[in-house]
């Protein structure tokens, strides 16, 4: 367990592009992040533990793992919630002006059998109205509700996920709305977003981004953890420090909360397909 250092340090501002806002909270002047373990589901905690215990190759692309946060630490004294949480390093802690993109990886980004997927919900109907009103059936329009499974399937099929193995979920550069990104369905559209994303990057940073994506593919292929787990809804966090003379960039493999043991050697082919497509798009952008 870690107690957490209570001294504040001047580091990067806290940035969370996607996910539920109450899933995390920053620690140690934003150098670390604590993530809640909800509903007693230790899947993600166990994934990080296994990777670090076995020193699996994918360790070079995931945040540094600091274990469970002690419930008696200074950080927890003012927290009402009773769930446990684990601690990861903030991948952006050394950046002063981080430009960040969150990319959901794989051709399927949800677990079909997840509890609650078959319950009709008005909020999900309203989300579909924003990006795919014409895909709603007459019955759905009449009831003004759709199930989570229907929403997730539609989101994957209309985006680049199903065909190309990745979906740009969020970025903090430009004026892209989440609904706009969800509707990107071609490599050409994704390429235009990536071009705007790297606008502020130096030539060295652009080259480093391509190099990191190429290395990620090799490491992912070598990883025993990735070979033996079906990784659903995992993401690549891609970032550079705008205005910095350093060529350092960040490519982090995050969100391991749906790591399901699998004997299917091709279970993560969608992630590799997405990584290859992303690499090609970033390489083409760098060459411009």
């Amino acid at each position: 367990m870690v107690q957490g250092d209570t001294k504040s340090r001047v580091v990067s501002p806290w940035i969370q592009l996607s996910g539920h806002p109450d899933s995390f909270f920053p620690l140690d002047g934003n150098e670390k992040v604590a993530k809640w373990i909800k509903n007693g589901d230790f899947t993600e905690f166990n994934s990080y533990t296994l990777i670090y215990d076995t020193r699996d190759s994918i360790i070079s692309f995931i945040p540094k793992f600091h274990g469970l946060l002690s419930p008696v630490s200074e950080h927890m004294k003012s927290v009402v919630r009773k769930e446990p949480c684990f601690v990861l390093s903030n991948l952006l802690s050394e950046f002063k002006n981080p430009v960040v993109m969150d990319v959901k990886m794989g051709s399927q980004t949800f677990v079909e059998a997840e509890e609650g997927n078959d319950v009709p919900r008005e909020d999900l109907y309203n989300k579909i109205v924003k990006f795919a009103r014409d895909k709603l059936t007459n019955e759905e329009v009449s009831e003004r509700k759709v199930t989570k499974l229907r929403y997730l399937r539609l989101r994957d099929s209309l985006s680049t996920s199903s065909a190309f193995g990745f979906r740009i979920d969020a970025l903090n550069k430009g004026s892209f709305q989440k609904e706009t990104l969800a509707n990107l369905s071609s490599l050409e559209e994704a390429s235009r977003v990536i071009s705007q994303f790297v606008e502020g990057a130096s030539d060295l940073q652009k080259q480093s981004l391509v190099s990191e994506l190429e290395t990620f593919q090799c490491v992912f292929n070598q990883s025993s953890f990735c070979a033996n787990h079906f990784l659903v809804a995992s993401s690549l966090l891609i970032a550079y420090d705008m205005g910095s003379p350093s060529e350092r960039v960040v490519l982090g493999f995050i969100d391991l909360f749906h790591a399901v043991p699998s004997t299917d050697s091709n279970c993560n082919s969608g992630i590799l397909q997405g990584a290859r497509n992303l690499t090609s798009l970033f390489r083409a952008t760098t060459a411009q």
Side-chain angles (χ1 to χ4, degrees):
M1 285 189 177
V2 296
Q3 292 287 337
D5 182 359
T6 59
K7 294 179 183 178
S8 260
R9 285 176 288 275
V10 179
V11 290
S12 168
W14 170 248
I15 295 175
Q16 183 182 343
L17 288 182
S18 57
H20 296 289
D22 63 345
S23 296
F24 310 87
F25 63 91
L27 300 174
D28 298 346
N30 295 343
E31 281 197 348
K32 298 173 186 173
V33 55
K35 189 168 186 180
W36 294 107
I37 296 173
K38 295 184 178 180
N39 304 316
D41 186 353
F42 279 77
T43 300
E44 188 166 23
F45 171 80
N46 291 336
S47 295
Y48 280 107
T49 300
L50 178 59
I51 290 169
Y52 267 79
D53 283 351
T54 60
R55 309 306 294 177
D56 187 89
S57 62
I58 200 66
I59 198 172
S60 59
F61 279 96
I62 65 173
K64 188 174 181 181
F65 177 57
H66 299 278
L68 287 173
L69 182 65
S70 169
V72 298
S73 72
E74 288 295 320
H75 299 294
M76 300 298 283
K77 287 183 179 179
S78 60
V79 177
V80 177
R81 293 172 64 159
K82 300 300 181 183
E83 296 109 323
C85 53
F86 61 92
V87 180
L88 302 170
S89 290
N90 177 4
L91 291 171
L92 307 176
S93 64
E94 296 180 11
F95 285 3
K96 292 182 179 179
N97 191 17
V99 180
V100 191
M101 175 183 284
D102 185 292
V103 184
K104 195 68 70 178
M105 301 301 293
S107 53
Q108 180 177 318
T109 66
F110 62 92
V111 178
E112 293 206 9
E114 195 172 70
E115 186 178 352
N117 274 1
D118 57 350
V119 179
R121 291 167 47 180
E122 185 177 358
D123 62 320
L124 296 179
Y125 169 84
N126 290 333
K127 284 187 177 183
I128 292 179
V129 166
K130 291 181 180 178
F131 72 89
R133 179 188 291 269
D134 59 323
K135 301 297 181 182
L136 291 163
T137 66
N138 291 334
E139 182 180 355
E140 288 167 342
V141 172
S142 175
E143 294 182 359
R144 300 185 64 82
K145 291 181 180 180
V146 298
T147 65
K148 187 176 181 180
L149 186 58
R150 162 73 166 147
Y151 166 73
L152 294 173
R153 282 176 173 168
L154 189 60
R155 187 179 62 178
D156 276 3
S157 67
L158 293 179
S159 71
T160 49
S161 289
S162 293
F164 304 111
F166 76 93
R167 179 178 74 240
I168 300 172
D169 236 18
L171 65 159
N172 68 341
K173 191 173 188 297
S175 56
F176 297 102
Q177 299 296 315
K178 198 167 181 66
E179 292 78 15
T180 303
L181 295 172
N183 266 343
L184 300 179
S185 58
S186 70
L187 292 179
E188 291 75 15
E189 290 173 321
S191 178
R192 286 195 287 271
V193 175
I194 291 172
S195 292
Q196 291 194 42
F197 170 72
V198 299
E199 247 176 18
S202 68
D203 289 342
L204 284 176
Q205 288 172 330
K206 291 176 183 178
Q207 292 166 13
S208 293
L209 287 170
V210 173
S211 177
E212 285 291 288
L213 284 163
E214 291 172 341
T215 304
F216 173 76
Q217 293 178 61
C218 296
V219 169
F220 193 94
N221 269 318
Q222 295 165 0
S223 166
S224 295
F225 176 84
C226 296
N228 294 303
H229 291 81
F230 181 31
L231 302 171
V232 185
S234 294
S235 298
L236 279 178
L237 185 75
I238 305 172
Y240 64 92
D241 195 9
M242 189 164 63
S244 169
S246 170
E247 64 187 65
R248 184 174 178 270
V249 299
V250 162
L251 187 74
F253 191 52
I254 59 173
D255 300 335
L256 305 179
F257 47 81
H258 288 313
V260 183
S262 175
T263 57
D264 180 3
S265 60
N266 293 315
C267 61
N268 291 316
S269 58
I271 292 179
L272 285 169
Q273 177 199 21
R276 287 192 298 269
N277 282 323
L278 273 176
T279 304
S280 296
L281 292 176
F282 271 87
R283 187 185 294 116
T285 301
T286 301
Q288 290 176 359

